[in-house]
Amino acid sequence: EKSFEEIWNSKEAETFRNKIIKKDYSLCNTDICVGHIIDPKINTPDEIKKLKCHKLRLSYDINCNVACITCRDKIINENKKEYEQIYNKLETILQDIEEIQLSGAGDAFSSKHSRELIKKISKNFPHIKFNIDTNGILFTQQEYEDFKLAGKINDLNISIPGFNKKTYDKIVINGNYDKLFRNLDFLINEKNKQNINNIMIIMVIHAINYKEMPLMSNYAKEKGIDVFYTCYQPWSNTIMAKKYDKMAIFKPKHPEYKKFLKVLESPSLQESHCRFEPFIEEIKFNNINKNNSLINKLLSFIK
């Protein structure tokens, strides 16, 4: 509803920036934040106000062609009028933008609005690179070529909740496992041609799929791409969210937690192409250190 400048200079934004400058992260959920908490290089809010925004993440469009049980209970296909006004509000700053991330809330290729947004930005601001979050089913070779995206994608993040088809089909309603991996093969080929900078598989971990973490790692290594593991979070009031305790394999009270720790010890998950959100990384680190401590005690006893 507001212009970008109004949002950037709002009291809410300034309050948030002041806290970060003072190293106060009370407004952040550091368990699930995938960014890095670092010392800010800028010391005053006024200096920040004068900065131009170079990276923009657009995560308001919730339209999606699938209904993953961890995310929503139904397919969402809306055409909100207010979406159409967003491009006009952004146009004043797009000249300074270097990267745009889509979308995180839904799937850009299933939304009429987001598709038009990509076309307009790609045509009118050819210098802008895209970071795209997608489930990969609709991102076909035809779409890639129609949108003229060769050389315009920095990061392509593809959500794949299960390596095996049986697991995938349990989680993704209205999915298409075979089409997804066909599309992925094409996109990996484009990466090998240096038309896409980086491809990463995003795997949301829970009780249904955690045993397939090593399999996904092996696949990613074979294809020369990365994989990022993140914990399932009940973002919305879904049927699955009410079963969160049964799904949260990464919580110590879960009956299969020790099995989860065993999976984290898999050699394939120690490879450099595997990345983890901070919460899983901490579990993994503590578990390895604990095991090393026990081994050292045993060696000391033997000596």
Side-chain angles (χ1 to χ4, degrees):
E1 296 173 356
K2 297 178 181 179
S3 71
F4 181 86
E5 289 78 10
E6 287 176 304
I7 296 170
W8 187 258
N9 296 315
S10 66
K11 288 182 180 179
E12 292 87 352
E14 188 167 345
T15 297
F16 182 80
R17 290 194 291 258
N18 278 333
K19 285 180 175 292
I20 299 301
I21 287 168
K22 294 173 183 176
K23 301 180 184 179
D24 175 357
Y25 302 105
S26 58
L27 295 178
C28 307
N29 187 338
T30 54
D31 280 344
I32 62 173
C33 178
V34 298
H36 299 281
I37 296 175
I38 59 173
D39 291 337
K41 297 177 181 178
I42 297 164
N43 297 316
T44 69
D46 288 335
E47 285 182 283
I48 296 175
K49 280 186 178 181
K50 294 174 185 176
L51 287 177
K52 292 180 179 179
C53 179
H54 296 297
K55 294 185 180 182
L56 192 62
R57 180 182 177 110
L58 303 178
S59 192
Y60 56 85
D61 190 341
I62 62 173
N63 287 298
C64 193
N65 55 302
V66 300
C68 297
I69 60 174
T70 52
C71 180
R72 57 191 72 193
D73 291 333
K74 62 180 180 180
I75 306 292
I76 297 177
N77 185 18
E78 301 173 342
N79 189 21
K80 294 184 178 180
K81 290 182 180 179
E82 55 265 33
Y83 284 178
E84 305 308 319
Q85 303 167 9
I86 289 178
Y87 178 80
N88 295 332
K89 292 181 183 295
L90 290 176
E91 204 167 17
T92 59
I93 64 162
L94 285 176
Q95 192 58 50
D96 297 314
I97 297 295
E98 296 170 1
E99 292 182 18
I100 288 182
Q101 181 152 355
L102 296 166
S103 81
D107 192 282
F109 298 101
S110 71
S111 163
K112 179 182 176 183
H113 164 71
S114 288
R115 291 164 64 86
E116 287 299 314
L117 194 66
I118 294 172
K119 285 181 180 178
K120 285 179 180 178
I121 293 171
S122 185
K123 179 182 177 182
N124 299 330
F125 300 92
H127 69 281
I128 291 178
K129 304 289 186 182
F130 290 99
N131 298 328
I132 299 176
D133 298 330
T134 176
N135 57 55
I137 297 169
L138 299 179
F139 196 8
T140 61
Q141 179 177 352
Q142 185 68 49
E143 295 286 78
Y144 177 84
E145 292 171 354
D146 286 349
F147 287 129
K148 296 179 172 59
L149 289 173
K152 291 187 177 181
I153 299 178
N154 269 345
D155 292 320
L156 178 59
N157 301 319
I158 301 182
S159 177
I160 308 179
F163 180 75
N164 291 321
K165 186 178 188 302
K166 187 176 179 181
T167 304
Y168 177 89
D169 289 341
K170 278 184 183 178
I171 300 165
V172 185
I173 308 303
N174 200 42
N176 192 323
Y177 179 90
D178 295 328
K179 186 178 179 182
L180 160 62
F181 278 93
R182 283 199 304 272
N183 292 342
L184 186 50
D185 281 340
F186 164 75
L187 294 165
I188 290 171
N189 190 44
E190 284 298 293
K191 175 185 175 294
N192 294 337
K193 293 178 182 177
Q194 299 185 332
N195 290 330
I196 297 175
N197 184 47
N198 184 58
I199 296 178
M200 179 182 286
I201 293 171
I202 308 295
M203 189 174 183
V204 179
I205 301 305
H206 43 73
I208 298 174
N209 66 359
Y210 77 96
K211 292 178 182 178
E212 295 183 12
M213 291 172 71
L215 294 174
M216 195 68 82
S217 171
N218 292 337
Y219 171 81
K221 183 179 181 181
E222 177 190 335
K223 297 293 184 178
I225 59 177
D226 297 328
V227 58
F228 180 79
Y229 302 98
T230 183
C231 296
Y232 163 58
Q233 297 294 335
W235 299 116
S236 55
N237 187 28
T238 62
I239 294 172
M240 194 55 65
K242 296 170 184 176
K243 302 177 181 178
Y244 177 71
D245 288 340
K246 291 183 179 180
M247 295 286 282
I249 189 70
F250 36 81
K251 298 291 186 180
K253 291 184 180 179
H254 195 283
E256 293 186 44
Y257 181 69
K258 288 185 178 179
K259 292 182 180 179
F260 174 63
L261 294 182
K262 204 70 181 172
V263 169
L264 288 181
E265 294 172 15
S266 302
S268 61
L269 296 183
Q270 317 312 316
E271 302 270 1
S272 59
H273 69 281
C274 294
R275 304 180 192 179
F276 304 85
E277 76 161 68
F279 186 69
I280 300 180
E281 187 69 63
E282 185 178 2
I283 293 173
K284 184 168 169 281
F285 177 80
N286 290 338
N287 186 49
I288 290 172
N289 279 356
K290 180 182 177 182
N291 288 342
N292 286 342
S293 177
L294 290 171
I295 290 169
N296 288 334
K297 286 180 180 177
L298 180 59
L299 289 172
S300 178
F301 174 77
I302 291 171
K303 287 179 181 179

